[in-house]
């Protein structure tokens, strides 16, 4: 038997001889029942036959003597009765040491606290494992999301680069086509202007009256410029209230006043206003002529918004 551990609860020692005592008791009872059964069986003998003679006094002759019966067999000796053994004395349990109730209570409390501490440690361990697993899952999820976003950004950058290259190519192509068209238009206008000038010059040489083009080296007639601006103003469509806008253009025209070219010398800073002026110039062809019926081949005009209202 192990002694009670200091600081732990008291436990009643187990009785290790109880099984052996019970086994011996069962064996003794079985032997006693066997002996009783054997004794009863041996005492149950068969009954002995008894014969009697009857004498009749009237009969003179004596009856023959009865046969002598066989002697009865001697009874078999009874078997010796087994000697009953006295059952072994019961094994007394060792005395239970007396424990102070307060000490036992303290031990129970200490054991309970220890169990609670171990349970808390186990719960903390399980929680830590769960948190670490969750953190790993979150980190993997973020890494996958980041990789997905980086791949999407890379794909978008490649797509944007392709679109930009295509747009640049289309832009260059459009610019080349526009330049070619402008050159073709300019050549056609120059050819038409030269033909018109030849016609006018030829007419003047024959003594006929015509509308000869004047050089641009001289001073432009103010009334002539005002007439041109007035016509362009009538075709201007622009609704801004910023009167500080001013744009300068050089207009090239045929002797008939038809416009064959417009070149912007100075922009106003507003694309919308510049486009509106160019559209108004194009709609004003042919332009007014001077009082003598002539025109300026090229004329430089300033278009101030405050004067175009």
């Amino acid at each position: 038997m192990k002694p009670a551990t200091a600081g732990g609860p008291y436990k009643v020692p187990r009785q290790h001889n109880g099984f052996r005592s019970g086994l011996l008791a069962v064996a003794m009872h079985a032997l006693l029942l066997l002996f009783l059964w054997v004794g009863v069986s041996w005492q149950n003998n068969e009954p002995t036959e008894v014969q009697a003679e009857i004498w009749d006094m009237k009969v003179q002759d004596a009856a023959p003597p009865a046969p002598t019966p066989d002697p009865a067999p001697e009874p078999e000796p009874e078997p010796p009765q087994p000697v009953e053994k006295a059952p072994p004395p019961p094994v007394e349990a060792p005395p239970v040491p007396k424990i102070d109730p307060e000490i036992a209570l303290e031990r129970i409390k200490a054991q309970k606290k220890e169990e609670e501490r171990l349970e808390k440690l186990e719960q903390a361990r399980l929680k830590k494992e769960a948190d670490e697993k969750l953190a790993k899952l979150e980190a993997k999820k973020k890494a996958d999301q980041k990789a997905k976003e980086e791949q999407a950004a890379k794909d978008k950058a490649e797509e944007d680069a392709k679109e930009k290259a295509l747009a640049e190519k289309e832009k260059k192509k459009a610019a080349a086509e526009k330049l070619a068209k402008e050159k073709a238009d300019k050549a056609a206008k120059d050819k038409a202007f030269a033909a018109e000038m030849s016609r006018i010059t030829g007419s003047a040489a024959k003594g006929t009256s015509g509308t000869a083009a004047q050089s641009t080296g001289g001073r432009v007639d103010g009334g002539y410029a005002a007439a041109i601006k007035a016509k362009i103003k009538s075709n201007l469509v622009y609704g801004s209230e910023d009167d500080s806008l001013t744009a300068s253009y050089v207009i090239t025209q045929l002797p008939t006043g038809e416009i064959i070219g417009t070149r912007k010398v100075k922009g106003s800073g507003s694309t919308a206003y510049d486009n509106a002026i160019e559209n108004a110039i194009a709609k004003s062809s042919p332009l007014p002529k001077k009082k003598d019926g002539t025109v300026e081949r090229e004329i430089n005009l300033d278009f101030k918004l405050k004067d175009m209202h």
Side-chain angles (χ1 to χ4, degrees), residues 69-98:
D70 296 331
E74 295 181 1
E76 296 180 2
E78 295 183 0
Q81 297 292 333
V83 180
E84 296 182 1
K85 295 181 180 181
V91 181
E92 296 182 358
V96 179
K98 295 182 179 179

Side-chain angles (χ1 to χ4, degrees), residues 70 99 206 284 308:
D70 296 331
I99 301 298
K206 293 178 181 180
S284 300
M308 302 298 290

Side-chain angles (χ1 to χ4, degrees), residues 216-293:
T216 59
R219 186 176 181 181
V220 178
D221 185 3
Y224 173 58
I228 293 175
K229 285 185 178 181
K231 187 170 184 181
I232 294 173
K233 176 182 177 181
S234 64
N235 293 315
L236 179 64
V237 179
Y238 188 72
S240 176
E241 298 295 334
D242 188 2
D243 293 339
S244 63
L245 298 178
T246 301
S248 299
Y249 284 88
V250 173
I251 302 173
T252 304
Q253 57 183 332
L254 294 172
T256 58
E258 295 180 2
I259 298 173
I260 59 175
T262 302
R263 178 169 57 87
K264 181 166 62 175
V265 178
K266 180 181 178 182
S268 65
S270 172
T271 304
Y273 181 63
D274 294 347
N275 292 336
I277 291 295
E278 293 174 5
N279 292 332
I281 293 173
K283 291 179 181 179
S284 300
S285 181
L287 295 175
K289 300 178 181 178
K290 295 181 180 180
K291 293 179 180 179
D292 59 0

Side-chain angles (χ1 to χ4, degrees), residues 143-205:
D144 294 343
Q145 183 66 23
K146 184 178 179 181
K148 185 177 180 181
E149 291 176 355
E150 290 178 353
Q151 185 63 34
K154 183 178 179 181
D155 294 342
K156 188 176 184 302
E158 292 178 355
E159 188 68 22
D160 292 343
K162 290 180 181 179
E163 292 180 357
K164 186 177 179 181
L166 182 61
E168 190 69 21
K169 184 177 180 181
E170 292 293 334
K171 184 178 179 181
K172 290 181 179 180
K173 182 179 179 181
E177 292 177 353
K178 182 179 179 182
L179 181 61
K181 185 175 181 301
E182 289 177 353
K183 288 182 178 180
D185 292 342
K186 187 175 183 302
K189 289 178 181 179
D190 290 343
K191 184 176 180 181
F193 183 78
E196 184 67 17
M197 289 298 294
S198 297
R199 184 182 65 79
I200 294 172
T201 304
S203 297

Side-chain angles (χ1 to χ4, degrees), residues 3-248:
T5 305
Y10 175 75
K11 296 182 179 179
V12 178
R14 297 179 59 183
Q15 301 296 330
H16 300 286
N17 297 327
F19 177 77
R20 185 168 56 185
S21 300
L23 185 61
L24 289 174
V26 171
M28 291 302 299
H29 283 81
L31 288 174
L32 180 59
L33 291 175
L34 179 62
F35 292 153
L36 291 176
W37 178 78
V38 172
V40 172
S41 297
W42 284 348
Q43 292 178 3
N44 191 10
N45 298 327
E46 294 181 358
T48 305
E49 294 182 359
V50 179
Q51 294 181 357
E53 293 182 358
I54 301 174
W55 296 83
D56 189 358
M57 299 302 296
K58 295 179 179 180
V59 177
Q60 294 297 323
D61 294 331
T68 304
D70 296 331
E74 295 181 1
E76 296 180 2
E78 295 183 0
Q81 297 292 333
V83 180
E84 296 182 1
K85 295 181 180 181
V91 181
E92 296 182 358
V96 179
K98 295 182 179 179
I99 301 298
D100 190 352
E102 294 183 358
I103 297 176
L105 183 60
E106 290 296 330
R107 291 179 179 177
I108 292 173
K109 289 181 178 179
Q111 184 180 6
K112 186 176 180 181
K113 288 182 180 179
E114 181 66 15
E115 292 176 355
E116 291 177 353
R117 186 181 70 84
L118 294 176
E119 184 178 359
K120 288 181 180 179
L121 289 176
E122 182 65 16
Q123 291 178 355
R125 184 184 67 80
L126 294 176
K127 185 177 182 299
K128 183 179 179 181
E129 291 180 356
D131 293 341
E132 291 177 352
K133 186 176 181 181
L134 181 62
K136 289 180 180 179
L137 290 176
E138 290 293 333
K140 185 177 182 301
K141 184 178 179 181
K142 290 181 179 179
D144 294 343
Q145 183 66 23
K146 184 178 179 181
K148 185 177 180 181
E149 291 176 355
E150 290 178 353
Q151 185 63 34
K154 183 178 179 181
D155 294 342
K156 188 176 184 302
E158 292 178 355
E159 188 68 22
D160 292 343
K162 290 180 181 179
E163 292 180 357
K164 186 177 179 181
L166 182 61
E168 190 69 21
K169 184 177 180 181
E170 292 293 334
K171 184 178 179 181
K172 290 181 179 180
K173 182 179 179 181
E177 292 177 353
K178 182 179 179 182
L179 181 61
K181 185 175 181 301
E182 289 177 353
K183 288 182 178 180
D185 292 342
K186 187 175 183 302
K189 289 178 181 179
D190 290 343
K191 184 176 180 181
F193 183 78
E196 184 67 17
M197 289 298 294
S198 297
R199 184 182 65 79
I200 294 172
T201 304
S203 297
K206 293 178 181 180
T208 59
S209 60
T211 57
Q214 303 294 324
S215 65
T216 59
R219 186 176 181 181
V220 178
D221 185 3
Y224 173 58
I228 293 175
K229 285 185 178 181
K231 187 170 184 181
I232 294 173
K233 176 182 177 181
S234 64
N235 293 315
L236 179 64
V237 179
Y238 188 72
S240 176
E241 298 295 334
D242 188 2
D243 293 339
S244 63
L245 298 178
T246 301
S248 299

